[in-house]
Amino acid sequence: MKRALVLGLLIGAGTMAVAVAGYQGGTPRAVLPDLTHVKDNLYIIEAASPADRSMFTGGNTGVFIMDTGVLVVDTKLAGYGNDILQKIRKVTDKPVTTIVNTHTHGDHTGSNEGFPASVEIVTHENTKANMAKMDAFKGDKAKFLPKRTFADKLTLFSGKNRVELYYFGAGHTNGDTWIYYPELRVLQTGDMFPWRDAPFLDRANGGSGVEFPRTLAKAVAGIKNVDAVIPGHSPVTTLKDLQEYQRYNADLVTATESAMKAGKSADEAAASINLTDKYKGYKSERVKAAVEAIYAELKK
Ligand SMILES: [Zn+2]
């Protein structure tokens, strides 16, 4: 229980994660892996497991090598900017020109400050507002806030370099960007599909457990031609797994609503909900926190 809470905080706030893990003022201890090839000119620098916080570096980082430069999607915890650049150098000399942050959390935005200030940072408009509230982007560091934002859809670059950014509604936060690489038929989800367990619902940043499955359904319906999916914190997988995650979240909300109607407390509801028989390979380490968040949302 305490561990789940700590993990929730760790994913929830990068600055806090830094303090929790005892990295104050120093370089994070965990080392980044080399790039993992996804397809053609798309790579990721894989996320480390947040279960072992001494090894935690942040979410999956996308590296998309274009004709004239490199797009980086998510920058991990603070302190990894140079490490990310060194890893990219192993496959290209082209400069990083653009960063997309899938959402506000410090394990996805922490190393924005490690890139040249000339790099264009792009996010959903709500994520920019959420980031502006973080200590990590105050004062001098406000220059690492996004300069370009969008509301529903934004196309970056052209031809075979085209990248489409989508917003389908609230879920993990109120500013989660989906990144689609049409030429490669690859979809990057950020933390709308982080792992096979209940999602972290950041209600303080506009997240919604009730909307989560609806937003997932809109994404699945709205983006055609997907052969591979890059989740927020787990290895590259298939569209089928994303569709399954949508059904899992719909079942989680339905089960929570009926437990509430039956008069159960949030604790009792969490204890009574078992989705791991139906969803093979899923964990239940985050169900309790998610059920509590959905309860709080339904009570409003
Ligand atoms: Zn997150």
Side-chain angles (χ1 to χ4, degrees):
M1 159 63 214
K2 277 224 178 75
R3 184 163 160 269
L5 181 65
V6 169
L7 291 182
L9 293 172
L10 189 60
I11 300 298
T15 47
M16 198 169 288
V18 169
V20 168
Y23 296 153
Q24 301 97 319
T27 310
R29 282 163 282 170
V31 180
L32 295 188
D34 282 334
L35 272 65
T36 300
H37 192 212
V38 178
K39 190 180 180 187
D40 297 349
N41 53 329
L42 179 63
Y43 299 79
I44 58 170
I45 304 173
E46 286 199 317
S49 168
D52 177 356
R53 63 179 196 271
S54 71
M55 296 302 289
F56 186 53
T57 57
N60 282 326
T61 294
V63 176
F64 185 60
I65 300 166
M66 303 175 289
D67 293 339
T68 54
V70 179
L71 163 69
V72 169
V73 177
D74 284 349
T75 59
K76 303 191 185 289
L77 291 173
Y80 284 103
N82 201 40
D83 293 356
I84 293 169
L85 286 166
Q86 294 298 323
K87 296 297 180 188
I88 294 172
R89 281 295 151 268
K90 292 190 175 186
V91 293
T92 182
D93 291 332
K94 292 172 185 170
V96 173
T97 58
T98 313
I99 290 171
V100 171
N101 297 124
T102 57
H103 64 286
T104 190
H105 292 150
D107 54 332
H108 300 260
T109 61
S111 287
N112 282 12
E113 64 183 41
F115 290 82
S118 58
V119 173
E120 183 172 59
I121 301 175
V122 186
T123 69
H124 185 262
E125 58 191 14
N126 294 341
T127 286
K128 180 178 183 176
N130 292 335
M131 287 167 76
K133 291 184 281 182
M134 295 166 69
D135 286 344
F137 293 100
K138 295 231 163 100
D140 213 27
K141 295 192 172 177
K143 61 176 180 277
F144 300 108
L145 285 169
K147 289 177 190 69
R148 192 170 174 192
T149 62
F150 73 101
D152 299 314
K153 188 188 172 186
L154 176 67
T155 299
L156 299 175
F157 321 115
S158 60
K160 65 178 172 49
N161 295 326
R162 193 168 96 247
V163 174
E164 295 169 0
L165 309 184
Y166 291 89
Y167 177 69
F168 288 109
H172 179 59
T173 69
N174 62 357
D176 300 288
T177 293
W178 299 74
I179 296 95
Y180 181 55
Y181 307 89
E183 186 76 14
L184 307 181
R185 301 166 64 105
V186 175
L187 177 62
Q188 188 166 359
T189 68
D191 285 357
M192 285 303 298
F193 178 29
W195 41 57
R196 287 170 188 78
D197 196 341
F200 173 54
L201 304 168
D202 183 358
R203 297 190 68 235
N205 279 307
S208 167
V210 176
E211 290 300 319
F212 208 107
R214 292 180 203 153
T215 300
L216 286 171
K218 283 184 204 159
V220 167
I223 304 176
K224 305 289 176 205
N225 305 318
V226 176
D227 294 336
V229 172
I230 303 172
H233 288 266
S234 44
V236 176
T237 185
T238 61
L239 179 63
K240 252 181 77 187
D241 283 340
L242 174 61
Q243 290 166 331
E244 181 184 55
Y245 198 60
Q246 193 282 325
R247 294 193 298 275
Y248 171 91
N249 277 278
D251 283 355
L252 179 63
V253 171
T254 303
T256 304
E257 283 170 339
S258 48
M260 197 175 187
K261 281 198 192 104
K264 289 190 170 115
S265 70
D267 277 6
E268 290 163 351
S272 70
I273 293 171
N274 178 5
L275 296 172
T276 52
D277 288 343
K278 182 172 174 186
Y279 295 95
K280 298 292 171 209
Y282 272 63
K283 291 182 175 170
S284 297
E285 291 167 5
R286 295 170 176 276
V287 169
K288 191 172 186 297
V291 167
E292 282 168 1
I294 295 168
Y295 255 65
E297 192 177 341
L298 290 171
K299 276 181 188 154
K300 275 196 93 178

